Amino acid sequence: MHTPFHPEYNPLIRKLESIFTLTDDERQALLGLPMQVVALKENQDIVREGDRPNRSCLILSGFACAYKLTAAGRRQIVSFTVPGDIPDLQSLHLKVLDTGVSSISPCSVGFIQHYDLHDLCGSWPRIAAALWRETLIDAAIFREWVMNVGRREGYVRLAHILCELLVRLRAMGLAEDHVCELPITQGEFADALGMTTVHVNRMMQQLRVAGLIQTKGNRLTVPDWEKLKEAGEFDPTYLHLENPDEVAA
Amino acid sequence: MHTPFHPEYNPLIRKLESIFTLTDDERQALLGLPMQVVALKENQDIVREGDRPNRSCLILSGFACAYKLTAAGRRQIVSFTVPGDIPDLQSLHLKVLDTGVSSISPCSVGFIQHYDLHDLCGSWPRIAAALWRETLIDAAIFREWVMNVGRREGYVRLAHILCELLVRLRAMGLAEDHVCELPITQGEFADALGMTTVHVNRMMQQLRVAGLIQTKGNRLTVPDWEKLKEAGEFDPTYLHLENPDEVAA
DNA sequence: CGAAAATTTGAAGAATATCAACGACGGTGG
DNA sequence: CCACCGTCGTTGATATTCTTCAAATTTTCG
């Protein structure tokens, strides 16, 4: 049940370190956080909409998403996760989940009990503030997605989300310059962008023809970052990075 | 500069009271919160995207919205406020604003300095948790909007947002049974729903013909709440109300 | 009353969805 | 190692939603 995760590999600590320098005590508290680590295959539900969980899930590796379903069963992905994210951290204060979370690629996930998180926040105010901050950044990303889906056309919309994913991966040290592994299918992009698979496919071809992206298997290469940013009207401000220039330049 | 607001009229206290019972000390702390009260006409910017404010704005009365602009200058409204909301509460932890906030109708707004909010949160953990919770509910609403804009068609989309607004107003005691004052133009709905004014107009006519809504001036009447909910695929879970049955039944 | 803002209407066009099929690719079992 | 199978990506033809543009009408408000 209690499987401490090896320090070097805990992406939550890495993420917090990118915001401020942890004291030794704070780091110890985080390392001592009990966590049940589980390995998942792709397309497995981690939690479901309507659940009332007493724990939250930290994505340690791999890709996952939060999603909702319409009455007719159509899926809207409302966020992609990057390692270090806790896609249901809100359940710490909101009892019922209003989204499901499921793996997209094979994933490693760490479940943390809410009472352990409450203890952590009570004892370490800076960590509490940092976690609050993380949920606020999630909200900022949702706002940008509303804008993306509401007011940008398919071509721009797709370029934008590719920019976002690349920058977020780079911020966690998970992408080289302008190349990354992106095990997200066109159908999943469609569900995230409010489009159909067919249309995502066509817009992706346009991006390729325009020389803005290259794809090979799951590998995304961005030959001209400036042009892709321009095509996607991408301004990383909303990600509230500490070091935007290193990561989004 | 320091204009304490009369207790009965502070909708923030009302909102927190709907979550849990404030102790006398907590209520005193909230009443003592220094606040600069400002009256605004409609369509006035309260804060702008890119600002780095040292205060947040509590909407005391009237309607406002948070919005973003595309490169081409098209507006996407990402949230409507209801009195008691603090649409830029996130600026407490995120330095740069990623949205603007502007009034829609004449508004009364209370500006609260960040250091006062930090003091309040430091001294009163339950209030801090409640404010965190409020930002989490905002995020839940953004998620629902991503879904609304991404996966529902115009007719459903409009019905959904009308349901949301009515329920949120009722939760604050600002709407009778199924009637409310809604000083939101069709153009503003269009900007919130990612549609054009023309299309909003046509969908609104359809809702009227179907007998789901009636409008007269700013007054919205919902003759058949169950049918409107059904048309909008509206499930209030995402609003995380304490008393959903009173308010959204 | 008069001007500005908001709503409404019509016609034409663009973006995107839908449907159906085919090809490519990776993994699995014989 | 190859044949099979399921998933994913791709393509074409057609249908629908929604936009655009321009103008008329109604409402609001000083």
Side-chain angles (χ1 to χ4, degrees), chain A residues 96-130:
Chain A
V96 182
L97 280 180
D98 56 73
T99 67
V101 176
S102 94
S103 63
I104 287 182
S105 69
C107 276
S108 171
V109 176
F111 290 101
I112 308 170
Q113 294 293 320
H114 284 165
Y115 52 71
D116 288 324
L117 281 171
H118 281 300
D119 281 356
L120 186 76
C121 288
S123 308
W124 306 100
R126 295 206 313 165
I127 294 178

Side-chain angles (χ1 to χ4, degrees), chain A residues 169-209:
Chain A
L169 287 170
R170 288 180 72 191
M172 284 298 290
L174 294 171
E176 303 145 42
D177 259 2
H178 295 113
V179 181
C180 64
E181 290 294 321
L182 219 51
I184 301 177
T185 66
Q186 295 184 358
E188 285 151 355
F189 277 122
D191 283 348
L193 296 172
M195 301 166 46
T196 58
T197 304
V198 172
H199 201 53
V200 166
N201 180 269
R202 287 177 173 140
M203 294 306 104
M204 205 157 244
Q205 292 179 50
Q206 277 189 225
L207 286 172
R208 280 191 285 249
V209 169

Side-chain angles (χ1 to χ4, degrees), chain B residues 102-213:
Chain B
S102 95
S103 63
I104 287 182
S105 69
C107 275
S108 171
V109 176
F111 290 101
I112 308 170
Q113 294 293 321
H114 283 165
Y115 51 71
D116 288 323
L117 281 170
H118 280 300
D119 281 356
L120 185 75
C121 288
S123 307
W124 306 99
R126 295 205 312 166
I127 294 177
L131 290 180
W132 188 355
R133 194 186 127 93
E134 284 306 317
T135 63
L136 293 172
I137 293 176
D138 290 341
I141 297 176
F142 296 137
R143 286 191 287 272
E144 186 71 19
W145 280 38
V146 171
M147 162 96 147
N148 205 31
V149 175
R151 282 287 183 237
R152 296 193 181 113
E153 20 186 77
Y155 182 79
V156 183
R157 216 185 288 181
L158 178 57
H160 187 280
I161 207 171
L162 293 176
C163 289
E164 177 186 308
L165 285 168
L166 185 52
V167 168
R168 287 172 59 199
L169 287 170
R170 289 180 73 191
M172 284 299 289
L174 295 170
E176 304 146 40
D177 259 2
H178 294 113
V179 182
C180 64
E181 290 295 320
L182 220 50
I184 301 176
T185 66
Q186 294 183 3
E188 285 152 355
F189 277 122
D191 283 347
L193 296 172
M195 301 165 46
T196 58
T197 303
V198 172
H199 201 54
V200 166
N201 181 269
R202 285 174 175 144
M203 295 305 106
M204 206 158 243
Q205 291 180 51
Q206 278 190 225
L207 286 172
R208 280 193 285 250
V209 170
L212 302 186
I213 62 169

Side-chain angles (χ1 to χ4, degrees), chain A residues 28-43:
Chain A
Q28 283 310 312
L30 284 163
L31 287 173
L33 198 59
M35 190 161 59
Q36 183 193 2
V37 177
V38 173
L40 296 168
K41 296 205 213 39
E42 71 269 12
N43 296 321

